[in-house]
Amino acid sequence: MNPNAHTLWRAPQWTLAALLAVLGMLGPFSIDTYIPAFAGIASALGATPVEMQQTLSAYLFGFAFMNLFHGALADSFGRRPVVLCGIAMFTLASAGCALSQSIGQLIAFRALQGLSTGAGIVVSRAVIRDMFPPARAQQVMSQVTIYFGIAPAIAPIVGGWLFVHAGWHSIFWFLTCVGVVLWVANFRLLPETLQAEHRQPFNGPHLMRGYWQLGSSPRFVLLALASGVPFNGMFLYVLAAPAFLGEHLALAPTQFFWFFLLTISGIMGGAWLSGRLAGKIAPKRQIRHGFVIMFTVAVFNLGANLLFPVHAAWSLLPIAVFAFGWALMVPVVTLLVLDLHPERRGMASSMQAFVGSTANGIVAGILVPLVMHSTVLLAFASLLMMCVGMMAWIYLHHRWPDIGRTATPG
């Protein structure tokens, strides 16, 4: 961590967590806000359901691609410039979405949004580890996850209200305004947390060595899979929300918020408990608890969908419990990733996000269209995503039993 951290931020630590959380919230907010308007946008632009799904896929693949570079840029030029440039690009892309006159234009500007929003998520993780020792970093990471959970709960409510009262264009004008506010707030408040002497050279050979060092590390790859892929066990329900909530559960767009509220409550609850457990139990035990919860509820969800007719009264709860288990373990896994190579924390955060967002893009573009019209297939896909991450962690645990036994020193 930065030895001058105590002088870089003199306000209460929860305010820094809030600022970093807002950076991380930008990504999910730009996804969930426009989901209630899917049908309206498709009708207005003459788009098919597959084309509308591509607006999600373009965003997620753009997010995945640029995630490879946000962290490397932040390691070379500092955390602050990368964040400010990312927010500026997001603001312009949001205005482009609002002005789109065809589905092709909307897909292109959504891809540009995806290219930019990863800066906040990737860099905020590196800033946390720059500023705090391990146990405190886990607590702050958990606080960030709690704040992060507020956005997807509010976003569909805001998006649904704007769509009904002002049309779909207003959703993206709203995101434009959010971008302006965030840029001003970070310009005024965000400190530069990377010490000048720790900056990495920005040139091709050095970057390639860094990518090879991380990409060829089995521990890094397995940790990235353990944190990124299980997220899709709940995220595929978010991506399939128009079909899952509208067709299967017969909910109106203005009722979608119940799904997001329960799911995000699970995330916030798991993140809160993760922070409470920081420094009290071994990280590997906390990760195991998270996977046990996710596996148990995913099996239950599949069995229930096979045996009973779907109904909103029970179908939403397993997803919320799954989210709880994921949020319980993911702050710990993220810190293990960042501490594998402390001199390349930005790049490590980038590549972790790349693995997760690539999985998100594959799920959005390929898996969701295949399974979204069957609740049984959705439940099976959710269990499958969780098992990929769980198998990665089990192998890692047996191959390197010392990892996660104790926190890495600050």
Side-chain angles (χ1 to χ4, degrees), residues 118-408:
I121 298 172
V122 168
V123 179
S124 64
R125 293 172 181 170
V127 170
I128 289 172
R129 197 59 186 91
D130 288 343
M131 294 289 287
F132 303 103
R136 183 60 185 143
Q138 182 182 330
Q139 293 173 345
V140 175
M141 195 79 74
S142 300
Q143 292 170 9
V144 166
T145 307
I146 292 173
Y147 291 121
F148 166 88
I150 297 173
I154 297 175
I157 302 173
V158 173
W161 187 89
L162 287 172
F163 173 62
V164 170
H165 294 285
W168 71 267
H169 296 278
S170 65
I171 295 173
F172 293 105
W173 285 124
F174 170 74
L175 291 176
T176 304
C177 294
V178 169
V180 171
V181 172
L182 279 183
W183 192 92
V184 172
N186 282 275
F187 180 79
R188 294 174 60 88
L189 300 174
L190 185 67
E192 178 54 66
T193 61
L194 180 65
Q195 292 176 277
E197 58 269 26
H198 290 165
R199 296 191 179 190
Q200 300 292 315
F202 191 77
N203 59 63
H206 185 79
L207 290 176
M208 289 303 101
R209 282 196 297 272
Y211 287 126
W212 176 256
Q213 181 184 25
L214 293 173
S216 63
S217 167
R219 288 186 298 172
F220 175 84
V221 173
L222 291 168
L223 283 170
L225 290 173
S227 64
V229 179
F231 174 76
N232 287 281
M234 61 178 173
F235 190 52
L236 66 87
Y237 280 99
V238 174
L239 296 171
F244 176 61
L245 302 176
E247 296 177 16
H248 300 305
L249 301 186
L251 298 177
T254 52
Q255 296 175 307
F256 282 16
F257 79 95
W258 286 111
F259 164 69
F260 292 99
L261 184 64
L262 286 170
T263 302
I264 300 309
S265 295
I267 292 177
M268 295 174 70
W272 175 85
L273 183 58
S274 179
R276 297 286 293 180
L277 293 175
K280 297 180 180 177
I281 67 172
K284 65 193 313 179
R285 285 186 58 200
Q286 190 167 326
I287 294 169
R288 182 180 64 201
H289 294 338
F291 275 117
V292 167
I293 292 170
M294 286 189 290
F295 178 76
T296 302
V297 75
V299 171
F300 169 83
N301 187 40
L302 178 59
N305 276 280
L306 286 168
L307 296 175
F308 305 109
V310 294
H311 194 280
W314 69 264
S315 295
L316 302 180
L317 189 59
I319 307 167
V321 178
F322 188 102
F324 176 91
W326 175 81
L328 178 63
M329 67 91 178
V330 77
V332 188
V333 180
T334 298
L335 290 174
L336 292 178
V337 168
L338 295 176
D339 284 339
L340 279 177
H341 299 282
E343 74 285 0
R344 296 188 185 273
R345 284 196 176 112
M347 184 178 284
S349 181
S350 268
M351 291 189 66
Q352 180 194 23
F354 173 77
V355 172
S357 53
T358 299
N360 296 347
I362 293 171
V363 168
I366 300 174
L367 186 59
V368 168
L370 293 175
V371 303
M372 65 183 182
H373 297 298
S374 166
T375 58
V376 172
L377 290 178
L378 279 168
F380 177 76
S382 176
L383 176 61
L384 179 64
M385 293 295 99
M386 192 285 312
C387 284
V388 171
M390 186 173 68
M391 291 300 102
W393 172 252
I394 290 174
Y395 179 79
L396 180 74
H397 175 260
H398 285 285
R399 178 69 177 78
W400 292 279
D402 288 339
I403 195 166
R405 179 170 292 175
T406 58
T408 304

Side-chain angles (χ1 to χ4, degrees), residues 4-30:
N4 301 317
H6 64 284
T7 65
L8 296 176
W9 188 269
R10 297 184 182 276
Q13 289 182 347
W14 69 266
T15 58
L16 177 58
L19 180 65
L20 297 175
V22 172
L23 286 175
M25 285 161 52
L26 195 59
F29 211 90
S30 60

